Amino acid sequence: MLRDILKGADPQIDAVVQTIAQASPDILVIQGFDYDMGGAALSAFADLLAQGGVNYPMQFALPPNAGLQTTLDMDGDGKTGGPRDAQGYGRFFGDGAMAILSRYPVLTSQVHDYSDLLWRDLPGATLPTKDGDPFPSVAAQQEQRLSSHGHWVVPIETPALGTVTLMTSHATPPVFDGPEDRNGLRNQDEIRFWDHFLGGVFAAPPSEKFVLLGDMNNDPNKGEGLKPAIHRLLDHPQLQDPLKGQPTAIFNGLGDMRVDYLLPSDDWRVIASGIARNPAASRHSLIWVDLER
């Protein structure tokens, strides 16, 4: 990805830049963006956006679980060292991770990263089984993290609104598994994490001016994903849904689906919201909301 950004004239990257420049958000959460320790790819992408007219002096990313290899067979195929034997699917460390670009300062000392939470340690975790035994093994479940990419709580200091707290994650697709439904169960629990977080299970959640957003990879009504967790978030009394019922992505064979979410806390006033579709950029749309106190 860094190579393609630096060489220029990549049609998909050009389309992504155009889509972002047209929306021109003050704060941008990117999912499916490769991570590197020095932030070279994110910095190069920010430079490209600046050439397109949108400047983001603040660039933030944390080491993800995507591509973070284990020594175990994590997907039950009898092999080790494959993309699905990492803590989250990845052909290399940082493959398709998460990042934040912002016009305003990220309060890095107040960031909370829950990406190392073990799946089994989530209250009420629904771990997969096969023939009554832990799948793929007891050892794998002792090491498996919940987050396929990460769960971040990131406060950003804005001049007009004060501190705005982003709560973001990118859940695994609930497919590409077997009858044990490992990915479906994990997807559900990655979404359930936020219900627990808002309930104060892990730390005191923000009491105001927060936004829960990300690719939950789960449509409330279509596809293979388990539905209770996403319905619980959409019905959560502390959240509002300005894009209710609107599809955000197109998948072959399934058509339009809603898998990406932007859910402000109920103390915000929503001025406007929308979905910017550009198939040349991604099958996923850019979703946005304008907020005021």
Side-chain angles (χ1 to χ4, degrees):
M1 189 185 68
L2 176 59
R3 176 203 63 202
D4 292 342
I5 292 172
L6 293 176
K7 77 178 182 182
D10 182 283
Q12 184 180 20
I13 293 173
D14 289 346
V16 170
V17 170
Q18 180 185 35
T19 303
I20 294 171
Q22 289 174 346
S24 190
D26 292 323
I27 300 169
L28 175 67
V29 175
I30 311 172
Q31 306 208 322
F33 193 93
D34 294 349
Y35 173 87
D36 62 85
M37 295 295 289
L42 190 57
S43 178
F45 186 62
D47 290 343
L48 200 59
L49 287 169
Q51 295 172 28
V54 280
N55 292 285
Y56 294 108
M58 304 302 300
Q59 300 148 30
F60 178 83
L62 293 170
N65 289 335
L68 180 62
Q69 271 295 336
T70 72
T71 60
L72 301 174
D73 173 12
M74 302 297 279
D75 63 349
D77 68 352
K79 303 175 184 178
T80 60
R84 292 184 174 86
D85 297 316
Q87 289 288 0
Y89 177 87
R91 298 159 296 166
F92 53 87
F93 176 59
D95 184 6
M98 308 192 299
I100 295 174
L101 296 175
S102 173
R103 291 183 171 132
Y104 311 124
V106 176
L107 303 180
T108 53
S109 64
Q110 299 177 34
V111 169
H112 292 278
D113 181 13
Y114 294 94
S115 305
D116 62 354
L117 176 72
L118 295 178
W119 187 357
R120 62 187 174 90
D121 289 340
L122 181 79
T126 49
L127 297 169
T129 61
K130 185 174 182 179
D131 299 327
D133 296 321
F135 179 88
S137 67
V138 172
Q141 290 193 0
Q142 291 293 315
E143 189 170 327
Q144 178 68 71
R145 297 180 178 186
L146 172 66
S147 305
S148 52
H149 292 82
H151 282 82
W152 302 348
V153 180
V154 181
I156 295 177
E157 189 64 27
T158 71
L161 301 174
T163 302
V164 176
T165 302
L166 305 183
M167 299 153 49
T168 191
S169 60
H170 185 172
T172 192
V175 290
F176 311 121
D177 53 16
E180 80 290 335
D181 200 19
R182 174 179 180 262
N183 292 337
L185 294 171
R186 188 181 186 186
N187 172 278
Q188 177 174 249
D189 278 356
E190 287 189 81
I191 297 170
R192 285 182 60 237
F193 170 88
W194 291 119
D195 186 53
H196 285 307
F197 179 78
L198 288 171
V201 170
F202 300 102
S207 60
E208 61 178 5
K209 292 186 296 187
F210 58 88
V211 181
L212 173 60
L213 70 169
D215 181 357
M216 303 301 173
N217 261 317
N218 199 323
D219 184 291
N221 303 305
K222 295 174 64 175
E224 295 185 27
L226 302 170
K227 307 307 179 187
I230 193 62
H231 279 289
R232 186 169 178 83
L233 271 194
L234 293 176
D235 295 336
H236 199 285
Q238 291 177 265
L239 300 172
Q240 53 182 315
D241 184 7
L243 298 168
K244 187 173 183 178
Q246 298 189 48
T248 65
I250 303 174
F251 292 91
N252 293 335
L254 292 170
D256 284 347
M257 297 183 71
R258 188 184 190 195
V259 296
D260 311 286
Y261 297 87
L262 203 166
L263 307 174
S265 54
D266 62 354
D267 55 326
W268 289 109
R269 179 169 176 257
V270 176
I271 303 302
S273 62
I275 296 178
R277 284 196 168 189
N278 187 345
S282 172
R283 65 184 175 189
H284 292 264
S285 304
L286 185 150
I287 60 176
W288 59 269
V289 64
D290 285 341
L291 302 171
E292 71 174 17
R293 288 189 289 183

